[in-house]
């Protein structure tokens, strides 16, 4: 956004006359220079923070990922050894990778779908709408440790409310957290319970859609479903896109749910990449190995994000871009 | 859908946002950097790290105040760190060059000693003429790695058996003693089981099933070769007995049963609420059980198998490699582990002091903080039976391998022989670097 502001005054000025045949660099106006000084002044805390606390550690972890480092003694260079071991040998890493993909594949689309559905419902004119909105957003505010404890009770094999409800319908519910087949769906369930955060963004987006669109559609005789798909959904795509990107990143970074609820068990059936990374770094003292995991994770999330961005021009609609 | 076909350009804002958030991932690998406390100050400044909560803080601070009175020119700073963050915090402190001078160590002590982060104390110990074996008993062996001593025992309480005295009296059962065999445990547990109540709390926790294994003549890691030995008949038989208590004799709640009792309920909570009649754990439940009057209870020694073998919970005090003044740091440790220095542990009811003389002192056996009549003699009586657990440098990895390999076993899905074979294989890949 800053670049746009910087460009405009420069373009408005006529080019400076050439001296000795060399085109002189246009000298910025006093106002412009002052603005630039303030720009650097205000951006400097962020740049400082980025370089010292983010870029520095990131570069260090690139180096460390090529070493065997216990975090106490000097690191020893192992080249691609950590990466080779991760990709070819480490069955726990493979399991964690699969689990994370599984979790992301289900939790992100389901979460987005539920958020959209809730937002559409909450956008309707009805009684006690504000109370419902609060209720939908509330789970998002509960600390994850508390959520995990609540779910330990909800998912209890026989005494838990979920399996009791299932029993009413004659379904013999699984042992959830103790069943390697059901522990991942249980964690997905927990993440869906918190879908309310995305709902709020979508709801705000819905409020921003001009009423004329709907009026015009009504005159043309469009049903409410048709209105949703032809007006609401396209107008919301930037927010849906934002939710998608944040959802992918969040899903790959899933940590607390696993760490508190299952510790990755039973037998790594719910182990995910970030808890595994944490275990390797701070329990097993394999800091170099953990750094390699974090960079593989980074590359994967980066690749998926790029993929999402490259497809976005096909389905994400920006009003400002139409005006250009 | 016509609107979507328009020419779309860049999405700067979102792209920027996405990239920034991505960057955060790699930060996870770096963790929180240790806030450096002044260990670098002068040679008379010392930092001591311990773990625990408020009762621990009170006990350690009282002891340090005594040390300060004895050594007025030392400045000793106590850093108390919550249990679960301790290892990570000390790790970051050491990596950041601000390691403590004196640190409390426990099961994973050799993660540090094997990586050259602790000082071998043998010279200091011999010049101070300390006899660790005579003063502390068997637990002195716990803090040795490759024949060198890396810590002085500080706290050491044997695992004990809590039993519901009211229920034993009601059913006319003989109270537990150290003379019990496995069969006595099983038959009494059977008598106590019924009506949603279980005879015994469980064996899944490592100090319990390992006690069974050692009682049966088994070992987890062979101390001479450093190889894992969990697939031996002795260990397999012990594991099978532990599992049979749950699924064959049904005198112990399964994991599923515990989950049905409530979130986070285990043997300790179930015993306190009267759902489990016997439970084996450490000293720490005495204080909390003394405060309730729902059940009447007492403690006893753990049974024996072919041999006597009992787990213990404790910690030692070690000197970090980064200490500027290790000789004086040792003087502090020497005082802290003297009878005078360890006395606040029992006065405040924090734990069992490692010193044998204190364990046998009237102040420990009849504590002023404990109103109930509790058989505290079990601690000194159990001490000779404490076995040295496999405190290998890869302790945490070994624990994880055990949890992973036995997950299905404790759910009753696999038997001991198959589980032990699987665990043997997993441990082999962890400790192979050792030999």
């Amino acid at each position: 956004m800053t670049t746009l502001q910087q460009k405009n005054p420069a373009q408005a000025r006529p080019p400076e006359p050439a001296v000795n045949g060399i085109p002189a660099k246009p000298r910025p106006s006093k106002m412009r220079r002052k603005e630039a000084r303030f720009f650097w002044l205000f951006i400097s805390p962020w740049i400082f923070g980025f370089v010292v606390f983010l870029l520095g550690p990131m570069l260090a972890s690139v180096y460390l990922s090529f070493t065997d480092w216990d975090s106490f003694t000097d690191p020893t260079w192992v080249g691609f050894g950590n990466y080779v071991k991760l990709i070819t040998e480490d069955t726990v890493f493979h399991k964690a990778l699969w689990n994370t993909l599984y979790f992301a594949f289900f939790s992100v689309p389901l979460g987005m779908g539920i958020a959209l559905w809730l937002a559409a419902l909450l956008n309707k004119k009805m009684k006690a709408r504000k109370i419902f909105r609060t209720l939908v957003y509330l789970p998002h505010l509960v600390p994850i440790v508390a959520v995990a404890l609540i779910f330990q009770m909800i998912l209890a094999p026989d005494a838990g409310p979920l399996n009791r409800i299932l029993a009413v319908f004659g379904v013999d519910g699984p042992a959830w957290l103790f069943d390697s087949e059901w522990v991942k769906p249980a964690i997905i369930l927990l993440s869906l319970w918190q879908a309310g955060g995305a709902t709020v963004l979508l709801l705000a987006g819905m409020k921003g859609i001009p009423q004329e669109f709907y009026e015009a559609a009504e005159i043309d005789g469009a049903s409410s479903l048709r209105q949703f798909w032809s007006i609401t959904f396209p107008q919301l795509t930037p927010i849906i896109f934002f939710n998608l990107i944040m959802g992918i990143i969040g899903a790959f970074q899933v940590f607390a749910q696993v760490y508190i609820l299952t510790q990755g068990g039973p037998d790594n059936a719910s182990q995910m990449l970030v808890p595994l990374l944490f275990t390797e770094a701070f329990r097993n003292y394999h800091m170099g190995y953990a750094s390699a995991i974090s960079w593989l994770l980074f590359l994967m999330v980066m690749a998926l994000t790029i993929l999402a961005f490259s497809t976005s021009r096909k389905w994400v609609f920006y009003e400002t871009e139409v005006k250009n | 859908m016509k609107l979507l076909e328009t020419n779309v350009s860049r999405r700067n804002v979102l792209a920027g946002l996405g990239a920034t958030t991505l960057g955060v991932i790699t930060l996870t690998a770096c963790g929180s950097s240790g806030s450096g406390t002044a260990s670098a100050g002068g040679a008379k400044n010392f930092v001591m790290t311990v773990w625990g909560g408020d009762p621990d803080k009170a006990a350690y601070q009282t002891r340090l105040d005594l040390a300060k009175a004895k050594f007025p020119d030392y400045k000793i700073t106590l850093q108390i760190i919550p249990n679960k963050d301790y290892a990570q915090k000390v790790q970051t402190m050491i990596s950041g060059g601000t390691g403590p001078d004196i640190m409390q160590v426990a099961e994973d002590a050799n993660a540090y000693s094997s990586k050259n982060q602790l000082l071998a104390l043998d010279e200091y110990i011999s010049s101070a003429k300390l006899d660790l074996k005579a003063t502390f008993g068997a637990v002195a062996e716990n803090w040795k790695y490759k024949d060198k001593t890396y810590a002085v025992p500080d706290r050491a309480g044997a695992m004990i058996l809590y039993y519901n005295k009211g229920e034993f009296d009601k059913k006319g059962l003989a109270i537990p003693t150290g003379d019990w065999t496995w069969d006595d445990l099983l038959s009494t547990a059977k008598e106590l089981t019924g009506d949603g109540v279980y005879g015994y709390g469980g064996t899944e926790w490592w100090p319990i099933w390992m006690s069974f294994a050692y009682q049966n003549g088994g070992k987890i890691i062979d101390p001479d070769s450093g190889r894992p030995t969990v697939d031996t008949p002795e260990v397999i038989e012990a594991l099978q007995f532990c599992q049979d208590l749950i699924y064959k004799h049904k005198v112990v709640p399964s994991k599923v049963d515990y989950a049905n009792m409530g979130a986070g309920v285990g043997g300790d909570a179930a015993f306190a609420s009267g759902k489990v009649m016997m439970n084996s754990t450490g000293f720490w439940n005495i204080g909390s059980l003394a405060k309730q009057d729902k059940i009447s209870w007492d403690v006893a020694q753990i049974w024996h198998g072919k041999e006597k073998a009992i787990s213990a919970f404790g910690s030692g005090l070690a000197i970090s490699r980064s200490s500027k003044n290790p000789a004086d740091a040792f003087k502090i440790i020497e005082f802290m582990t003297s009878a005078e220095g360890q006395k606040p542990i029992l006065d405040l009811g924090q734990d069992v002091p490692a010193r044998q003389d204190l364990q046998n002192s009237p102040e420990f056996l009849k504590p002023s903080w404990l109103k109930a009549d509790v058989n505290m003699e079990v601690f000194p009586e159990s001490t000779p039976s404490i076995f040295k657990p496999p405190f290998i440098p890869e302790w945490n990895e070994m624990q994880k391998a055990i949890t992973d390999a036995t997950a299905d076993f404790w759910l009753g899905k696999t038997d001991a022989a198959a589980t032990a074979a699987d665990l043997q294989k997993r441990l082999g890949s962890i400790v192979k670097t050792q030999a």
Side-chain angles (χ1 to χ4, degrees):
Chain A
M1 287 193 299
T2 338
T3 41
L4 274 176
Q5 283 171 351
Q6 282 167 340
K7 252 181 223 165
N8 288 339
Q11 278 168 350
R13 286 165 62 87
E16 298 274 315
V19 181
N20 299 335
I22 304 160
K25 219 179 161 193
R27 199 181 143 74
S29 71
K30 205 178 166 190
M31 169 80 176
R32 175 84 184 74
R33 272 177 295 156
K34 200 176 164 194
E35 204 180 65
R37 267 207 306 278
F38 273 109
F39 166 75
W40 288 111
L41 182 70
F42 288 130
I43 198 81
S44 57
W46 190 85
I47 290 180
F48 178 80
F50 174 76
V51 171
V52 174
F53 297 114
L54 209 58
L55 193 65
M58 275 175 82
L59 292 177
S61 81
V62 177
Y63 163 70
L64 290 173
S65 74
F66 292 104
T67 64
D68 181 10
W69 189 45
D70 58 23
S71 80
F72 298 119
T73 50
D74 292 337
T76 33
W77 184 263
V78 293
F80 281 93
N82 288 333
Y83 291 95
V84 171
K85 190 179 168 201
L86 277 171
I87 292 163
T88 59
E89 270 179 57
D90 191 341
T91 48
V92 175
F93 174 74
H94 298 162
K95 241 181 179 174
L97 179 60
W98 163 246
N99 292 341
T100 312
L101 289 170
Y102 182 105
F103 175 77
F105 185 80
F106 287 104
S107 76
V108 175
L110 282 174
M112 286 168 56
I114 288 175
L116 187 62
W117 179 63
L118 284 173
L121 282 182
L122 290 174
N123 200 32
K124 290 201 189 334
K125 288 194 171 59
M126 56 180 168
K127 272 187 184 170
R129 185 163 61 160
K130 282 187 176 159
I131 293 173
F132 282 115
R133 281 185 190 175
T134 314
L135 286 179
V136 164
Y137 191 63
L138 218 51
H140 192 70
L141 298 174
V142 180
I144 190 71
V145 178
V147 175
L149 281 174
I150 294 168
F151 268 74
Q152 260 182 28
M153 280 188 272
I154 293 175
L155 298 170
D158 300 314
L162 182 61
N163 277 0
R164 282 193 181 174
I165 292 169
L166 288 176
V168 171
F169 298 101
V171 180
D172 190 14
W176 295 108
L177 300 178
F178 303 115
D179 192 321
S180 47
E181 300 286 320
W182 286 100
V183 66
K184 284 188 285 289
I187 292 175
I188 292 168
L189 213 60
L190 190 157
S191 78
L192 294 184
W193 187 60
Q194 293 195 307
T199 307
V200 170
L201 288 177
L202 290 166
L203 209 52
M206 285 178 180
K207 293 278 162 222
I209 302 172
Q211 206 55 40
E212 300 91 75
F213 290 175
Y214 294 103
E215 281 163 13
E218 224 155 276
I219 290 165
D220 289 345
S223 69
S224 60
L225 196 68
R226 175 76 198 187
Q227 286 180 26
F228 178 81
W229 285 114
S230 295
I231 301 169
T232 315
F233 188 80
Q235 291 277 328
L236 283 180
T237 46
I239 294 163
I240 292 171
F241 182 55
F242 175 80
N243 284 344
L244 173 72
I245 300 291
M246 298 319 250
I248 291 173
I249 294 170
F252 273 82
Q253 291 186 353
V254 61
F255 176 78
Q257 292 91 321
V258 176
Y259 196 70
I260 299 162
L261 214 52
T262 65
Q263 293 269 325
D267 195 7
N268 295 311
S270 64
Q271 185 66 282
M272 311 266 177
L273 289 177
V274 178
L276 178 70
L277 184 163
F278 179 85
T279 307
E280 287 293 350
F282 296 107
R283 291 256 190 286
N284 300 350
Y285 305 103
H286 299 155
M287 199 58 95
Y289 198 63
S291 300
I293 297 178
S294 81
W295 276 98
L296 286 180
L297 179 63
F298 178 81
L299 292 177
M300 274 184 291
V301 179
M302 186 64 121
L304 278 169
T305 310
I306 290 172
L307 187 73
F309 268 97
S310 65
T311 61
S312 70
R313 54 186 61 230
K314 290 207 173 66
W315 61 275
V316 180
F317 164 74
Y318 287 96
E319 204 171 4
T320 47
E321 290 172 347
V322 180
K323 280 175 186 158
N324 286 340
Chain B
M1 289 284 116
K2 213 176 175 181
L3 291 171
L4 282 181
E5 287 156 23
T6 41
N7 208 4
V8 176
S9 65
R10 292 282 63 172
R11 293 148 163 86
N12 290 330
V13 180
L14 260 186
L17 248 174
T20 324
T21 324
L22 265 173
V24 176
I25 301 171
T26 32
L27 252 192
T28 333
C30 305
S32 54
S33 61
S35 58
T37 16
S39 70
K44 299 286 183 196
N45 283 352
F46 301 91
V47 172
M48 175 171 170
T49 50
V50 298
W51 64 80
D54 287 338
D56 303 291
K57 188 179 178 180
Y60 281 108
Q61 194 58 59
T62 310
R63 298 169 67 194
L64 275 183
D65 290 343
L66 292 174
K68 278 176 198 165
K70 189 166 165 92
F71 308 108
D73 55 334
Y74 293 173
K75 193 176 167 297
I76 313 167
T77 315
L78 178 70
Q79 274 201 33
I80 183 122
I81 301 162
N83 297 28
K84 65 178 175 54
D85 300 332
Y86 183 78
Q88 190 192 339
K89 170 87 179 171
V90 170
Q91 180 189 4
T92 19
M93 281 172 79
I94 294 175
S95 328
T98 55
D101 298 274
I102 302 169
M103 59 187 272
Q104 187 187 5
V105 293
E107 287 87 356
D108 63 345
N110 292 325
Y112 303 105
S113 58
S114 67
K115 296 177 182 62
N116 212 16
Q117 296 308 305
L118 298 181
L119 281 187
L121 303 177
D122 301 85
E123 277 177 32
Y124 297 116
I125 290 167
S126 59
S127 64
K129 298 195 174 55
L130 290 182
D131 187 345
L132 296 189
K133 186 100 194 161
T135 319
F136 302 104
V139 289
E141 288 293 310
N142 285 8
W143 314 117
K144 275 189 180 171
Y145 178 66
K146 294 192 172 164
D147 295 329
K148 282 187 177 151
T149 302
Y150 286 93
V152 181
D154 192 34
R155 294 157 54 181
M159 185 168 77
I160 51 173
L161 184 67
Y162 291 75
Y163 63 94
N164 191 314
K165 207 160 103 190
E167 199 66 16
F168 270 76
D169 290 348
K170 207 169 90 188
K171 298 209 163 155
L173 296 168
I175 59 166
T177 69
D179 297 329
W180 267 22
T181 60
W182 294 7
D183 288 337
D184 293 322
L185 171 70
L186 175 60
S187 60
T188 311
K190 277 180 175 168
E191 296 284 335
L192 292 163
T193 302
D195 297 332
V197 164
Y198 296 88
Y200 177 53
T203 54
E204 190 184 329
W205 193 25
W206 69 266
I208 306 177
W209 71 258
M210 276 190 196
S211 289
F212 276 102
Y214 278 77
Q215 286 171 5
N216 211 27
K219 293 259 183 313
I220 308 305
I221 305 280
D222 181 61
D224 300 322
S225 68
R227 305 293 307 166
T229 51
V230 284
D231 61 348
T232 53
E234 292 84 6
V235 179
I236 292 173
E237 192 189 3
L239 277 172
Q240 194 58 58
F241 180 79
C242 290
Q243 193 196 33
D244 285 347
L245 290 175
I246 310 172
Y247 295 100
K248 190 172 166 192
H249 308 297
K250 298 190 166 43
V251 295
V252 165
S254 67
K255 274 175 107 97
V256 169
D257 294 328
Y258 271 126
N260 286 331
M261 290 183 199
V265 174
D268 293 8
F271 179 78
S273 64
K275 285 196 172 129
V276 152
M277 290 301 149
M278 292 187 282
N279 183 45
S280 36
T281 183
F283 167 89
W284 50 84
N285 273 1
I286 289 181
S288 55
L289 284 171
K291 286 193 194 94
Q292 56 82 47
D293 48 13
K294 191 175 180 336
I295 59 165
S296 70
W297 57 281
D298 204 346
V299 297
Q301 245 194 81
I302 296 289
W303 53 85
H304 65 85
K306 288 173 194 151
E307 313 169 6
K308 282 192 169 235
I310 301 175
S311 286
F313 310 99
S315 60
L317 296 178
I319 300 180
S320 139
R321 167 76 52 183
S322 58
S323 176
K324 296 274 189 302
N325 186 352
D328 283 352
F330 186 79
K331 275 190 190 154
I332 298 171
I333 291 184
E334 192 188 345
F335 173 76
M336 295 278 281
T337 55
S338 69
E340 189 191 352
Q342 283 192 355
K343 199 158 168 297
I345 300 178
L346 61 93
D347 285 342
L348 297 169
Q350 180 209 12
D351 199 354
V352 184
R355 290 186 70 95
Q356 308 262 285
D357 52 356
L358 288 183
Q359 287 187 15
N360 284 300
S361 71
E363 290 96 332
F364 178 75
L365 298 175
K366 276 269 157 245
S368 55
W369 51 269
L370 186 61
K371 287 208 181 66
D373 194 21
V374 178
N375 179 20
M376 296 292 277
E377 279 88 1
V378 289
F379 290 106
E381 282 167 9
S382 302
T383 300
S385 311
I386 290 173
F387 67 89
K388 184 185 178 179
F391 288 168
I392 57 171
E394 302 86 357
W395 171 262
N396 290 336
E397 279 171 89
M398 180 173 88
Q399 284 297 320
K400 179 82 172 90
I402 291 172
T403 311
D404 289 349
T406 58
D408 279 344
F409 175 70
W410 295 119
L411 291 167
K413 291 179 184 168
T414 53
D415 69 357
T419 305
D422 180 28
L423 179 57
Q424 175 77 11
K425 214 171 78 201
R426 297 194 199 210
L427 291 181
S429 71
I430 291 171
V431 296
K432 70 183 168 199
T433 47
Q434 263 223 158

